[in-house]
Amino acid sequence: MLKELLFLLLVVMDASSGSHNSWCDPGCDCRVDVRSTICSRAFLTQLPSRVSPNTKLLDLSDNHISVIPKRSFSKNHKLQVLLLQNNNISVVEDGGFSQLEFLSKLDLSWNRISTLTEGFSIGLAFLRELQLAHNLLTSLDSSSFLHLDGLQRLNLTSNSIHTIQVRTFSSMSSLRQLHLENNQLSSLRNGIFSILRSLEVLNLAGNRISETEIGIFKPLTSMSLLNLANNQLSTIYFKTFLSIQTYSTHILLEGNPWNCDCDLQRVFQKLRSIQRLFLDDYYNLTCKAPPVLQDYRLMEVDTELCIAETVTVLIITATVVITVLAAMLMGERMRKKEQKEKHWTQQCLVKLT
Ligand SMILES: *[C@@H]1O[C@H](CO)[C@@H](O)[C@H](O)[C@H]1NC(C)=O
Ligand SMILES: *[C@@H]1O[C@H](CO)[C@@H](O)[C@H](O)[C@H]1NC(C)=O
Ligand SMILES: *[C@@H]1O[C@H](CO)[C@@H](O)[C@H](O)[C@H]1NC(C)=O
């Protein structure tokens, strides 16, 4: 009863004083009715001190906040959406987001975060979406996302990530989208995607990947889109893609420096015949090597790539056939000669006796 009265009082206060009540910092727009606090572009250098405990949406985007101190939101445990994009955040203290048990979306894109410690994700077990694009991350390991069991969408676009340790995503069995485009990845270790059974979108475009280990995509049994465009692939292994066990997966491979030889032609020919795989941008793949084929589309030359090889095979076959025939002829001649000699010897013997 007392609680309800208090709430009523709050509502009345809010209605009478507009957005400038005791729960609203200067520069913020506080809407008790819709439980949102909007402090976007308010020139804040630190977190506002008076956010209503009933707030579900807190928008702090486009400010100059640089630190998220420990237990910053301990009075705002009803928060569901927290927007912090476009600030100057470089430090998230351990437990900075703890006690946000209802938080489902956290946007930290366009900041200066360079490391994620274990304490970063404490208390975020129900987070569904984490935006971390355009930060300064360079490597990820098993502690980076340790407590994010419920995460469905992770956006790490445009960082400088060059290393992903094997157990980095090991708590995320619900993850559906993983965006890693525009980073510095050059190789992918077998096992880094091993738990991601729900993953539908894996975006690796714009990295430096030159090799893919054969079993790397095998665990991704829900993957419907694999984007490997704009990497450093010059060739691929058939088995890497054959091992994708899904109903249907679209694969993008444009913008790689393909080495257009007969092997590549064969791999693509086989891949294109697999019904569950769709090479959507096959018609846009261009050759980087050999030099005579540079900038040609693979599609335009693919029927000729194995011709040289076919000719070689034909020549070898012909040589073998001719050799065998010659040997047979020689053999036949020898046999006849021997027979003649035998005949002659026999006649001589007959004459002698
Ligand atoms: C951003 O934070 C750095 C320290 O991390 C500080 O030197 C710089 O002045 C801040 N920039 C702005 C625009 O607040
Ligand atoms: C990822 O972040 C970038 C940059 O903020 C944004 O443009 C893109 O839409 C995001 N992607 C998803 C799927 O959230
Ligand atoms: C192929 O490239 C053209 C021009 O860059 C683009 O418009 C088209 O969408 C690409 N096709 C596919 C399937 O990606």
Side-chain angles (χ1 to χ4, degrees):
M1 190 63 189
L2 194 68
K3 254 190 190 165
E4 276 153 27
L5 265 176
L6 221 92
F7 180 70
L8 209 70
L9 199 71
L10 269 177
V11 174
V12 171
M13 267 171 57
D14 189 64
S16 61
S17 60
S19 56
H20 302 288
N21 60 61
S22 62
W23 284 112
C24 206
D25 280 70
C28 296
D29 182 6
C30 306
R31 307 278 181 84
V32 170
D33 50 346
V34 289
R35 301 191 175 189
S36 69
T37 301
I38 313 294
C39 311
S40 188
R41 294 172 205 211
F43 304 101
L44 301 177
T45 53
Q46 42 189 309
L47 296 173
S49 50
R50 289 169 295 175
V51 176
S52 159
N54 288 316
T55 298
K56 287 183 175 173
L57 165 67
L58 177 55
D59 183 353
L60 298 169
S61 61
D62 303 294
N63 283 292
H64 305 292
I65 299 164
S66 55
V67 178
I68 306 290
K70 220 168 264 187
R71 300 169 52 123
S72 298
F73 303 96
S74 57
K75 296 198 187 83
N76 304 105
H77 72 279
K78 291 185 181 167
L79 276 184
Q80 291 175 3
V81 177
L82 177 53
L83 305 178
L84 281 161
Q85 69 269 32
N86 245 320
N87 275 279
N88 190 26
I89 301 167
S90 56
V91 179
V92 178
E93 288 181 7
D94 277 355
F97 300 109
S98 64
Q99 301 180 327
L100 292 176
E101 56 191 301
F102 296 108
L103 196 66
S104 82
K105 174 174 173 170
L106 175 57
D107 195 337
L108 284 165
S109 45
W110 295 97
N111 277 287
R112 297 154 47 84
I113 299 170
S114 57
T115 50
L116 297 172
T117 57
E118 185 190 331
F120 160 77
S121 60
I122 279 183
L124 292 176
F126 291 96
L127 198 66
R128 295 262 181 278
E129 180 178 338
L130 176 57
Q131 298 283 348
L132 273 167
H134 295 277
N135 275 280
L136 304 173
L137 296 169
T138 54
S139 67
L140 304 173
D141 60 41
S142 59
S143 58
S144 308
F145 307 113
L146 192 63
H147 304 282
L148 301 178
D149 299 343
L151 205 66
Q152 295 184 353
R153 185 190 291 194
L154 176 56
N155 192 345
L156 293 161
T157 300
S158 299
N159 278 270
S160 307
I161 300 165
H162 52 72
T163 309
I164 299 180
Q165 301 285 337
V166 167
R167 297 182 56 75
T168 298
F169 306 115
S170 62
S171 63
M172 299 187 187
S173 55
S174 316
L175 198 66
R176 291 191 176 165
Q177 295 193 14
L178 177 54
H179 295 271
L180 279 162
E181 57 264 42
N182 300 331
N183 278 287
Q184 311 282 329
L185 296 168
S186 55
S187 65
L188 301 172
R189 293 198 200 173
N190 251 344
I192 60 174
F193 303 130
S194 64
I195 194 94
L196 303 176
R197 265 170 273 109
S198 310
L199 198 71
E200 291 160 11
V201 176
L202 176 57
N203 195 335
L204 292 163
N207 279 277
R208 300 174 175 182
I209 299 165
S210 56
E211 276 190 311
T212 50
E213 285 191 45
I214 282 173
I216 184 81
F217 304 122
K218 196 173 177 191
L220 304 173
T221 49
S222 307
M223 182 168 60
S224 58
L225 176 63
L226 170 61
N227 192 343
L228 281 165
N230 301 315
N231 274 284
Q232 292 298 321
L233 296 166
S234 56
T235 190
I236 46 173
Y237 302 117
F238 176 60
K239 282 186 182 163
T240 306
F241 297 89
L242 181 69
S243 72
I244 299 174
Q245 299 295 328
T246 57
Y247 287 114
S248 103
T249 300
H250 293 261
I251 301 173
L252 299 175
L253 292 163
E254 236 182 293
N256 281 284
W258 297 111
N259 177 21
C260 296
D261 59 9
C262 183
D263 286 341
L264 190 74
Q265 193 274 332
R266 291 217 175 108
V267 171
F268 273 110
Q269 194 180 16
K270 284 193 279 180
L271 281 179
R272 292 172 70 201
S273 68
I274 299 179
Q275 301 227 324
R276 61 178 192 275
L277 301 182
F278 300 91
L279 305 185
D280 290 351
D281 58 4
Y282 179 74
Y283 300 106
N284 278 357
L285 304 190
T286 51
C287 307
K288 176 82 180 177
V292 287
L293 295 181
Q294 190 165 356
D295 299 330
Y296 275 86
R297 282 170 193 243
L298 176 59
M299 178 197 70
E300 290 166 343
V301 296
D302 63 359
T303 50
E304 289 143 46
L305 290 176
C306 292
I307 285 182
E309 204 152 297
T310 313
V311 169
T312 315
V313 168
L314 278 179
I315 289 174
I316 291 171
T317 314
T319 314
V320 169
V321 167
I322 288 169
T323 316
V324 169
L325 278 177
M328 279 166 68
L329 271 173
M330 288 288 279
E332 183 69 6
R333 239 191 231 169
M334 292 285 277
R335 206 171 55 80
K336 274 188 181 158
K337 205 173 161 192
E338 256 169 37
Q339 255 176 8
K340 246 186 206 168
E341 273 167 14
K342 223 176 174 182
H343 189 67
W344 188 78
T345 322
Q346 265 169 1
Q347 272 183 346
C348 286
L349 282 175
V350 168
K351 269 183 193 168
L352 276 171
T353 48

